[in-house]
């Protein structure tokens, strides 16, 4: 199973989903096309991401960055998202369970997407008013090639002004400090690591693959480490 770049488990439901680098790249390119070709966003636009660690979250983040869009990120357990200064958000992505319970924490944006994070990217049931179902609408763009113009190292990646070059340097340093290198396979406890720099970008920058476990059942841990060829556990 080491050909999968990102694998997702939910021990509460028994779900296991896995994407190769090509499949994740396809979802990434589709997300970039959704934001640019359909929503009209461009370099310098801002997208808020209010999602837990998940393979669809990876597609949203990587797709926004591929399009040169600045990202504001908060995990599931962190309240608040809107940047303190600067222009408002142009798009927001939010996990379905959050809408209606912490609605006041979801900032306004012209383009609002909800993700049910259902197995295999299935459509979200009961889409709230004012939102579009990301897994459904992004599929219209699957097969779209990635943006022709890559982002420059000096372009801004996050709403706090961090550039892609600076973000990449930090991601590489985090990977080195964790002892993660090419070919490693990292097991992530989704409840313990919501920052994408930790669970997504540092392993990808190092050339490692990722296994995300939601609702981690530690009685399954030894068997999963063996089955997935895990070399690091966070």
């Amino acid at each position: 199973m080491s050909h999968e770049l990102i694998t997702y488990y939910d021990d509460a439901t028994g779900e296991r989903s896995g994407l190769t680098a090509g499949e994740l790249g396809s979802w990434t390119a589709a997300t970039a096309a959704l934001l640019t070709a359909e929503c009209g966003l461009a370099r310098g636009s801002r997208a808020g991401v209010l999602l837990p660690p998940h393979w669809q979250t990876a597609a949203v983040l990587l797709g926004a960055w591929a399009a040169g869009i600045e990202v504001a990120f908060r995990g599931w357990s962190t309240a608040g998202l809107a940047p303190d200064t600067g222009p408002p958000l142009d798009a927001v992505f939010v996990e379905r369970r959050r809408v209606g319970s912490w609605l006041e924490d979801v900032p306004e944006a012209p383009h609002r997407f909800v993700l049910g994070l259902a197995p295999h990217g299935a459509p979200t049931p009961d889409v709230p008013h004012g939102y579009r179902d990301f897994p459904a609408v992004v599929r219209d763009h699957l097969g779209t090639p990635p943006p022709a113009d890559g982002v420059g190292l000096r372009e801004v990646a996050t709403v706090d002004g961090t550039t892609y070059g600076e973000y990449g340097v930090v991601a590489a340093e985090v990977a080195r400090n964790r002892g993660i290198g090419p070919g490693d396979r990292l097991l992530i406890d989704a409840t313990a690591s919501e920052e994408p720099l930790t669970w997504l970008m540092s392993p990808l920058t190092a050339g490692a693959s990722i296994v995300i476990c939601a609702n981690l059942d530690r009685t399954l841990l030894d068997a999963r480490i063996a089955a997935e060829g895990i070399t690091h556990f966070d």
Side-chain angles (χ1 to χ4, degrees):
M1 297 180 182
S2 60
H3 65 284
E4 293 175 352
L5 180 61
I6 186 165
T7 305
Y8 178 80
Y9 282 92
D10 186 340
D11 288 342
T13 64
E15 175 191 354
R16 182 191 185 282
S17 299
L19 279 75
T20 65
E23 290 166 336
L24 180 59
S26 180
W27 278 80
T28 295
T31 302
L34 171 65
L35 291 172
T36 56
E38 187 169 331
C39 297
L41 274 59
R43 277 172 158 75
S45 296
R46 290 181 158 199
V49 179
L50 201 62
L51 299 168
H54 193 276
W55 69 263
Q56 290 183 50
T57 307
V60 168
L61 289 166
L62 295 173
W65 281 326
I69 293 169
E70 299 172 20
V71 169
F73 178 84
R74 291 291 185 275
W76 164 257
S77 65
T78 308
L81 178 66
D84 295 329
T85 61
L89 297 175
D90 301 290
V92 66
F93 297 83
V94 60
E95 205 268 348
R96 176 63 185 91
R97 291 176 299 168
R98 185 157 190 155
V99 179
S101 58
W102 289 0
L103 185 59
E104 66 276 8
D105 294 327
V106 181
E108 292 295 329
H111 304 283
R112 297 162 69 85
F113 297 96
V114 66
L115 289 81
L117 304 181
H120 312 299
T124 303
D126 188 25
V127 175
H129 177 72
Y131 287 81
R132 299 174 69 196
D133 181 18
F134 171 78
V137 298
V138 77
R139 288 183 182 276
D140 293 338
H141 299 277
L142 287 174
T144 303
D149 298 327
V151 294
L153 295 180
R154 295 184 179 181
E155 293 186 67
V156 176
T158 60
V159 297
D160 64 0
T162 302
T163 66
Y164 288 95
E166 292 167 339
Y167 200 83
V169 167
V170 173
E173 183 178 355
V174 170
R176 283 194 300 270
N177 290 339
R178 298 161 80 189
I180 301 170
D184 279 329
R185 192 149 169 82
L186 181 66
L187 181 65
I188 298 287
D189 180 351
T191 62
S193 180
E194 292 190 328
E195 169 57 53
L197 178 68
T198 302
W199 69 264
L200 179 65
M201 295 311 298
S202 69
L204 291 187
T205 300
S209 57
I210 306 162
V211 178
I212 303 167
C213 294
N215 302 301
L216 178 62
D217 182 347
R218 291 186 174 269
T219 65
L220 304 175
L221 190 56
D222 290 343
R224 180 157 303 149
I225 288 173
E228 293 288 349
I230 301 299
T231 61
H232 287 72
F233 172 49
D234 282 5

